[in-house]
Amino acid sequence: MTILGWLMMIVSVGSVIALTVFCLYRVFTLPPEEVADLDVAPLRIDTKDTQDPD
Amino acid sequence: MAEQPKKEAWGSRLGVILAVAGSAVGLGNFLRFPGLAAQHGGGAFMIPYFVAFLLLGIPLGWAEWTMGRYGGLRGFNSAPGIYSTIWRHPLAKYLGGIGLLTPLIICMYYIVIEAWCLGYAWYYLTGELILENGTPEKYNAFFDKFIGSNEDGSLLRSGGLLSFLGLTFVANFFLLYRGLSKGIEEFCKWAMPIMAICAVFVLVRVLTLGTPDPAKPEQNLMNGLGFMWNPDFSKLADFDTWLVAAGQIFFTLGVGFGIIINYSSYLKRKDDVVLSSLTASAVNEFFEVCLGGLITIPAAFMFLGMLQDNQYGTFSLGFKTLPNVFAAMPAGRLFGCLWFVMLFLAAITSSLSMLQPVIAFFEEGLGLKRHASVALLGFFTAIGSALVVYFSKGMLALDALDFWGGTMLLFVLATIQALLYGWVLGIERGERAAHEGAHMRIPHFVQFMLKYVSPAFLLIVFAGTMITKKPDDWKTLASAPAARISFGFICLVLLLLLTLIHIAGRRWQAAGKLSETAPEKDGAK
């Protein structure tokens, strides 16, 4: 492994880890989703069997 | 047009990010990327790779997420409907047919590859893949027999792969039937961390191997890493290196698969698309560069030494070369099992995402209920997979579907979407739409890149890929019966989809959902 090899590996892996950590940190520190938002998520399987397609 | 009431929605912010990242992370991250990097300059390959990532991958991802939510807010979740909200022209919905055809065709053979991974994981668990006096030839023969590469129709007699294929089908369509939130999202929330844990276990094992064979001191960890990462900057003068790097970025991020546009259509107006898109891309890159880049090639080098040209291919590296590595590695059976479980999870999160766009179309376009949609799609997919399974000799059908679906259609669809965003939706409207609910801002110059650079670059990469394809490959595609049948099959599926889209268009117009001549009102409720 040459010095340039170490450099390329550390820069590549390091920058990807930094980007991933930055993004995940931003996502996890966002304000919690409002309860009303969660209400639109299906609480059980919706097979649409009770709906008339037309 | 007013927003339509929707039943399907993502359950959480993290859920959609993991689902999109799961869709992007696949076999290519662990097998295709390391092979390409080692062949095209090692560490030097990362320069064109990151250039393509920053200038094309991330911007096109933002564009696709934005268009998906734009269409979703106007009541559509499938490409034909979403394209119609962006380009108010009767032809738009037919153009959306490519957005259904591409993931469907890719999924037909991808599910078969997924079954290979499941089969290999099982054979490691039972110990059948630790062959006695195993030589590379024996592992090659095992793989060829397992996938029926020696003779068309041989899998119908041996049946080994068919049981794994059956299980894979059941798993995919059961999760699809469960729905977006309870099926795909819930599964990805479990599968992605498990994948990461499996990969980290294998990574730690590889990085602690030292010099596995004292009789071959040069085959050690440092030289293995060097084989992957030592840069050969002369390769940067080769146009092919830039072409391959850009192609890998499109392939790995799932841009142009027609998946992101469908997944993001289930987002709400105040949901973020900018940070979510970037996070999904970053997670995918973590699996590719930090895990794939440190495991596969260094491990192969430590046990096998310098690899031959024919050992770098995705399937060759994954299913022929690495089993030799696991056979020689202490606790290789355990690590082989973990590795193929991880590949299976990576594959299934991707195949699920390829099926969902068509399910969405069947439901909203044809008014089918979920069980009917899943059954119909299962039938279509099974026909395509059966084609791959029957014409297994030399993997000709798989290669043909991969070329037409996984390369040609991918570029066509990515170009269509880049043009739709930059020239039809417009970068001003696109920028406004992207920033609704956004938790970070897209630099303004990215919009100009999306309008001018991305479509041009896509066309250059597409043309370059076609030109650099070997004449023998073209000859095989044109003359081999299995390849011709596969091409005919794709045409038939396209014809069927266009017919269904025509019917869906009439239904949408009758229901007042689609007003192709109405002026666009900038902003659904």
Side-chain angles (χ1 to χ4, degrees):
Chain A
M1 181 85 154
T2 63
I3 293 173
L4 276 176
W6 276 108
L7 188 70
M8 295 307 291
M9 187 179 87
I10 290 168
V11 170
S12 301
V13 172
S15 49
V16 168
I17 289 177
L19 177 67
T20 310
V21 169
F22 166 76
C23 289
L24 289 176
Y25 173 78
R26 289 287 306 265
V27 169
F28 284 116
T29 54
L30 288 174
E33 290 157 283
E34 292 168 29
V35 176
D37 288 350
L38 297 175
D39 285 346
V40 298
L43 295 177
R44 58 176 183 270
I45 306 169
D46 171 29
T47 60
K48 299 188 177 176
D49 284 344
T50 56
Q51 295 172 3
D52 183 347
D54 289 308
Chain B
M1 185 179 289
E3 185 181 357
Q4 302 296 314
K6 286 186 291 188
K7 287 286 180 187
E8 294 270 41
W10 295 107
S12 70
R13 183 186 296 141
L14 186 63
V16 61
I17 291 170
L18 287 180
V20 174
S23 140
V25 176
L27 269 64
N29 295 58
F30 299 101
L31 302 177
R32 192 172 188 261
F33 163 75
L36 291 178
Q39 273 182 306
H40 293 88
F45 179 79
M46 300 312 291
I47 294 172
Y49 178 84
F50 280 128
V51 168
F53 178 61
L54 293 172
L55 298 184
L56 290 163
I58 292 175
L60 282 172
W62 278 330
E64 201 167 336
W65 276 75
T66 303
M67 287 193 292
R69 189 181 57 171
Y70 183 92
L73 291 175
R74 286 153 181 80
F76 290 100
N77 302 115
S78 67
I82 293 169
Y83 288 8
S84 298
T85 64
I86 295 168
W87 184 30
R88 295 190 168 253
H89 191 281
L91 285 177
K93 58 182 175 290
Y94 299 108
L95 211 54
I98 306 289
L100 302 179
L101 181 69
T102 306
L104 180 57
I105 294 296
I106 296 174
C107 192
M108 286 170 176
Y109 64 82
Y110 204 81
I111 272 191
V112 178
I113 299 168
E114 208 170 299
W116 298 353
C117 297
L118 183 62
Y120 266 51
W122 174 254
Y123 289 138
Y124 269 110
L125 194 67
T126 57
E128 287 174 69
L129 244 169
I130 301 294
L131 303 179
E132 205 173 318
N133 300 322
T135 58
E137 290 73 29
K138 279 191 176 179
Y139 284 103
N140 290 355
F142 184 96
F143 178 66
D144 289 340
K145 188 181 173 198
F146 181 59
I147 68 162
S149 182
N150 298 320
E151 186 190 351
D152 282 342
S154 59
L155 289 172
L156 301 180
R157 291 192 297 278
S158 64
L161 177 65
L162 293 184
S163 47
F164 295 111
L165 187 59
L167 284 172
T168 307
F169 256 84
V170 170
N172 270 282
F173 285 93
F174 172 73
L175 290 169
L176 274 180
Y177 176 72
R178 295 260 301 164
L180 192 74
S181 178
K182 288 288 179 186
I184 296 173
E185 184 178 347
E186 283 291 312
F187 181 72
C188 288
K189 277 184 176 174
W190 283 96
M192 291 297 284
I194 292 173
M195 262 165 61
I197 291 167
C198 289
V200 168
F201 266 110
V202 178
L203 175 66
V204 170
R205 172 73 279 199
V206 169
L207 295 183
T208 52
L209 279 168
T211 307
D213 184 355
K216 296 174 183 170
E218 73 286 356
Q219 288 178 209
N220 56 40
L221 174 66
M222 284 303 117
N223 287 345
L225 288 171
F227 189 65
M228 170 75 194
W229 291 97
N230 284 345
D232 174 4
F233 291 109
S234 68
K235 291 276 186 184
L236 294 180
D238 187 353
F239 178 63
D240 194 42
T241 301
W242 293 81
L243 214 58
V244 167
Q248 174 62 15
I249 282 295
F250 289 122
F251 187 82
T252 190
L253 293 180
V255 180
F257 275 72
I259 294 166
I260 296 173
I261 205 165
N262 166 252
Y263 271 12
S264 56
S265 72
Y266 298 104
L267 293 170
K268 298 181 288 292
R269 171 173 289 282
K270 56 184 171 182
D271 283 338
D272 163 89
V273 293
V274 181
L275 179 60
S276 300
S277 170
L278 189 63
T279 308
S281 301
V283 170
N284 175 69
E285 288 308 300
F286 175 77
F287 276 93
E288 181 151 303
V289 177
C290 304
L291 298 175
L294 293 178
I295 295 175
T296 318
I297 295 290
F301 179 86
M302 276 189 274
F303 288 94
L304 304 174
M306 301 289 281
L307 301 183
Q308 306 298 315
D309 279 350
N310 63 358
Q311 290 181 302
Y312 285 108
T314 302
F315 300 147
S316 183
L317 197 55
F319 296 94
K320 291 179 177 177
T321 308
L322 286 182
N324 290 283
V325 173
F326 292 126
M329 180 188 280
R333 187 173 152 188
L334 168 69
F335 287 101
C337 183
L338 282 176
W339 177 257
F340 283 102
V341 164
M342 182 198 67
L343 288 185
F344 175 70
L345 291 174
I348 197 169
T349 50
S350 302
S351 61
L352 283 171
S353 67
M354 294 176 209
L355 293 166
Q356 178 61 26
V358 191
I359 289 282
F361 170 71
F362 284 168
E363 288 183 348
E364 74 182 17
L366 306 177
L368 295 181
K369 295 162 187 168
R370 180 156 277 264
H371 62 254
S373 303
V374 170
L376 188 61
L377 182 59
F379 176 69
F380 286 146
T381 313
I383 293 174
S385 298
L387 192 78
V388 174
V389 166
Y390 183 79
F391 292 107
S392 55
K393 187 178 178 184
M395 294 193 284
L396 284 178
L398 191 153
D399 283 344
L401 291 180
D402 183 40
F403 174 71
W404 295 115
T407 306
M408 291 280 272
L409 284 174
L410 209 62
F411 277 117
V412 171
L413 185 58
T415 309
I416 288 173
Q417 292 188 163
L419 292 173
L420 271 180
Y421 182 87
W423 295 87
V424 182
L425 181 66
I427 55 175
E428 294 83 10
R429 200 143 46 110
E431 190 174 24
R432 276 201 304 278
H435 285 132
E436 283 185 71
H439 293 295
M440 63 186 293
R441 287 199 68 79
I442 302 174
H444 190 59
F445 74 91
V446 169
Q447 301 300 331
F448 290 95
M449 278 180 35
L450 280 166
K451 184 164 185 173
Y452 300 106
V453 180
S454 302
F457 198 98
L458 271 168
L459 289 172
I460 291 169
V461 174
F462 179 54
T465 305
M466 294 303 111
I467 291 166
T468 53
K469 196 164 176 64
K470 293 175 191 162
D472 280 355
D473 293 342
W474 285 112
K475 199 175 162 187
T476 305
L477 283 167
S479 59
R484 291 163 74 165
I485 289 170
S486 301
F487 180 74
F489 175 73
I490 293 173
C491 294
L492 269 179
V493 176
L494 177 62
L495 201 64
L496 179 70
L497 285 174
L498 291 177
T499 308
L500 295 178
I501 289 168
H502 181 73
I503 295 168
R506 294 181 73 117
R507 292 184 80 251
W508 287 335
Q509 277 187 325
K513 276 188 84 178
L514 198 64
S515 176
E516 283 153 350
T517 53
E520 165 65 1
K521 290 169 189 166
D522 193 13
K525 290 189 183 76

